[in-house]
Amino acid sequence: MSKVIYFDNNATTKVAPEVFEAMKPFLTDLYGNPSSMHTFGGQVEKYIAQSRETIANLLGCDVSEIIFTSCGTESDNAAIKGVLAALPEKRKIITTRVEHPAVLATCREIQSQGYKVVELGVDKEGQINLDELKAEVNDDTAIVTIMYANNETGVIFPIDKIAGIVKSKDVVFHTDAVQAIGKIPLNLSKSNIDLLSLSGHKLHAPKGVGVLYVRKGTRISPFMIGGHQEKSRRAGTENVAGIVALGKAAELAAKSIKQENTKVKKLRDKLENALLKSCTGAMLNGDKINRLPNTTNISFEFIEGEAILLLLNQFGICASSGSACTSGALEPSHVMRAMGVPFTAAHGSIRFSLSIYNTEEEVDFVIEKMPAIVNRLRELSPFVNSQ
């Protein structure tokens, strides 16, 4: 494979060259522990503070509301379990059926401990019914956790309306915004969001660093205890290189949001329109309007997504399937199932997620290769003739 065409940016992103340069000194010369009393280690602390300020600027919040974590999953767990620990008298959690496993699996684990967990359904476009949400939020609800944008389809939920409904009932609202940050504008100072999760490697920082935003006054117990780091809200020696990298990535993201919504969206739309036109039995999954500018999820009826990915891989094309293979049993994505996508299409769903580093030539290459791949697999499919 001489060239990689990377269209799997919702899984992880390339570390931006500027980000890599910013973090290098903290992997070589500036390796001291920021909690040290000596100057060599203590000097590092100011770089953490700088990153905190940059990220706060991107989110539109106060620096004191930023807690550094190891990833989006930790942030999600810390938000949900931290609120439940702080509000032990409340026994109900509300979420949706299309959340990332970092939220869904956490809620289901908590359900096994005796909590009531409500998973709101979605319509065929992947949107929830706000009236159902209103009906479920009550005095026993500890937290409502609903993602900002879906990782498989890119569908954006009406988070401001959702947060408004939740806060009108005086309930804590958390959103997993891992896929949204850096792709669409967001200003927490003008929202009712109490808790928000983000992950560095989704916006061109390295893996291993994340943030949990906690609005001032939100009742939440520490998820990790031990040292005094992060004002005793998240113990553990700081990942200084990762934090500095995330700060730089946040600075770049603030500048590139317009590019995400013009150049990247244009490339995504070209790819999507061409595949829907050239590949028979292709259909778009999710809300066509309210979705991330970089994401398209397309089902190719009667063939399996994993087979498409294998053939794409032979050309160096990286994408993602909406299906998951567990213990040899092929199951369609829980997101596709929740949206009611027919079984014959759900298995053949492919997610293409682009970034500012993709080019029109790469899009043209995928457009050239896909129809032949789909036709080849469809000729082999036993499901075509059975319909």
Side-chain angles (χ1 to χ4, degrees), residues 221-236:
S221 296
F223 178 63
M224 291 176 63
I225 58 174
H228 62 276
Q229 294 88 356
E230 297 298 289
K231 297 181 179 178
S232 298
R233 297 181 298 179
R234 195 272 186 184

Side-chain angles (χ1 to χ4, degrees), residues 248-385:
K248 187 66 180 179
E251 177 189 323
L252 297 174
K255 296 176 182 174
S256 65
I257 281 182
K258 183 177 179 182
Q259 196 177 4
E260 288 274 357
N261 288 274
T262 51
K263 176 200 165 185
V264 176
K265 183 176 183 297
K266 184 178 178 183
L267 291 177
R268 188 276 310 270
D269 289 347
K270 179 177 181 178
L271 173 69
E272 178 180 289
N273 292 333
L275 295 186
L276 291 175
K277 184 177 180 181
S278 63
C279 300
T280 54
M283 62 182 73
L284 180 67
N285 295 314
D287 190 325
K288 189 174 182 179
I289 305 299
N290 300 304
R291 60 178 164 144
L292 298 173
N294 78 318
T295 306
T296 184
N297 188 307
I298 300 174
S299 281
F300 301 90
E301 276 196 305
F302 307 123
I303 54 181
E304 293 184 348
E306 282 72 14
I308 298 173
L309 294 179
L310 286 173
L311 294 180
L312 285 173
N313 187 58
Q314 292 180 358
F315 297 108
I317 301 168
C318 305
S320 176
S321 169
S323 303
C325 186
T326 306
S327 302
L330 197 62
E331 294 292 336
S333 144
H334 70 287
V335 177
M336 296 300 118
R337 283 183 289 164
M339 291 166 56
V341 176
F343 188 81
T344 51
H347 264 305
S349 63
I350 297 292
R351 178 188 69 188
F352 297 95
S353 48
L354 286 65
S355 83
I356 58 173
Y357 295 106
N358 287 124
T359 66
E360 188 154 5
E361 289 73 24
E362 292 175 334
V363 168
D364 289 340
F365 188 72
V366 177
I367 291 172
E368 176 192 334
K369 298 301 179 186
M370 270 298 285
I373 289 174
V374 171
N375 289 337
R376 176 182 169 187
L377 291 173
R378 196 159 281 146
E379 288 173 359
L380 298 173
S381 172
F383 303 109
V384 175
N385 295 327

Side-chain angles (χ1 to χ4, degrees), residues 118-302:
V118 175
E119 296 179 7
L120 300 171
V122 296
D123 61 21
K124 63 181 181 180
E125 293 191 331
Q127 291 287 359
I128 64 169
N129 184 321
L130 297 183
D131 289 333
E132 290 182 12
L133 172 65
K134 286 178 188 175
E136 288 290 351
V137 184
N138 58 27
D139 292 341
D140 194 38
T141 308
I143 184 170
V144 175
T145 174
I146 294 178
M147 66 197 335
Y148 209 112
N150 188 269
N151 50 303
E152 292 190 23
T153 62
V155 169
I156 299 171
F157 281 136
I159 288 298
D160 288 339
K161 291 182 180 177
I162 292 171
I165 291 169
V166 176
K167 294 310 294 178
S168 70
K169 304 286 184 73
D170 199 24
V171 170
V172 176
F173 178 63
H174 165 253
T175 185
D176 177 344
V178 163
Q179 294 294 345
I181 301 297
K183 296 173 187 157
I184 55 176
L186 187 154
N187 189 339
L188 290 170
S189 70
K190 298 180 179 177
S191 82
N192 284 307
I193 296 170
D194 295 307
L195 301 154
L196 176 144
S197 303
L198 71 86
S199 181
H201 73 104
K202 306 295 188 182
L203 64 153
H204 303 292
K207 303 166 188 66
V209 63
V211 159
L212 175 62
Y213 156 81
V214 181
R215 182 180 294 280
K216 289 178 184 175
T218 304
R219 293 177 63 187
I220 181 170
S221 296
F223 178 63
M224 291 176 63
I225 58 174
H228 62 276
Q229 294 88 356
E230 297 298 289
K231 297 181 179 178
S232 298
R233 297 181 298 179
R234 195 272 186 184
T237 303
E238 295 92 339
N239 171 10
V240 182
I243 290 170
V244 170
L246 181 51
K248 187 66 180 179
E251 177 189 323
L252 297 174
K255 296 176 182 174
S256 65
I257 281 182
K258 183 177 179 182
Q259 196 177 4
E260 288 274 357
N261 288 274
T262 51
K263 176 200 165 185
V264 176
K265 183 176 183 297
K266 184 178 178 183
L267 291 177
R268 188 276 310 270
D269 289 347
K270 179 177 181 178
L271 173 69
E272 178 180 289
N273 292 333
L275 295 186
L276 291 175
K277 184 177 180 181
S278 63
C279 300
T280 54
M283 62 182 73
L284 180 67
N285 295 314
D287 190 325
K288 189 174 182 179
I289 305 299
N290 300 304
R291 60 178 164 144
L292 298 173
N294 78 318
T295 306
T296 184
N297 188 307
I298 300 174
S299 281
F300 301 90
E301 276 196 305
F302 307 123

Side-chain angles (χ1 to χ4, degrees), residues 31 37 47 85 107 165 168 224 254 277 386:
Y31 56 85
M37 292 296 292
Y47 297 100
C107 289
I165 291 169
S168 70
M224 291 176 63
K277 184 177 180 181
S386 65

Side-chain angles (χ1 to χ4, degrees), residues 66-82:
I66 298 291
I67 300 175
F68 288 113
T69 65
S70 65
C71 59
T73 295
E74 183 193 324
S75 298
D76 289 338
N77 272 261
I80 297 167
K81 295 182 179 180

